Amino acid sequence: LHTEMFIHYRDFVKLFVPSILYTVQNSLQYFSMQCLSAPVFQVLYQMKIITTAMFSVLLLAKRLSSVQWGSIVALTLGVACVQLSQVSNSSENKSNSFAGFVSVILGCMTSGFAGVYFEMVLKSTSASVWLRNIQLSLIGIAMSLVSTLSLYLTILSNVAFRSLATS
């Protein structure tokens, strides 16, 4: 692990991209779940398959068969039908539904790109998948700690400001 992280550090640095994207994706998932019902979220999140396929074609030059493209189109139509069925007359529901939908789209895109990019990194190095997953998780843990600490400090400063304002 030491050799791969410090001597072959360039491959380790490449893992910052998917790790950061997966951290962003997790935050987007939590936001989406606040805005959408669980079944709608689950159906919409299947768009991850679509974005992963598109990034695989673009970045890895993979070729998809006509049956695979047909399946992707069918999945896209299904997702569109679910999203359209959520349209209601209430403006509050529309804004929450729209914000949740945008959050799901961004989450799917970050997930699809991160997965394909990680595959590119794996194919370009001789290190094992296990080692790369450990490195990816170490970066993810560090990113999540920074995010949590930032949120904690923001909350702490708000509490301190309120206590000063009331005294």
Side-chain angles (χ1 to χ4, degrees), residues 33-106:
M33 286 186 261
Q34 290 175 344
C35 297
L36 302 169
S37 67
V40 171
F41 170 78
Q42 287 295 326
V43 171
L44 290 177
Y45 210 70
Q46 296 308 309
M47 286 189 301
K48 182 168 60 171
I49 297 168
I50 299 165
T51 59
T52 303
M54 289 183 187
F55 283 122
S56 292
V57 168
L58 293 173
L59 299 176
L60 298 174
K62 286 194 175 182
R63 304 205 72 187
L64 299 178
S65 69
S66 57
V67 171
Q68 290 170 318
W69 279 115
S71 299
I72 290 171
V73 168
L75 181 61
T76 304
L77 292 175
V79 166
C81 288
V82 168
Q83 183 60 26
L84 290 174
S85 73
Q86 295 302 304
V87 175
S88 68
N89 294 332
S90 169
S91 63
E92 182 180 328
N93 285 342
K94 284 184 182 178
S95 66
N96 282 344
S97 179
F98 181 73
F101 178 70
V102 170
S103 180
V104 167
I105 294 279
L106 292 173

Side-chain angles (χ1 to χ4, degrees), residues 7 13 17 21-22 29 34 100 121 145-146:
I7 296 174
V13 170
V17 173
L21 290 175
Y22 283 135
Q29 279 182 321
Q34 290 175 344
V121 170
L145 285 174
V146 168

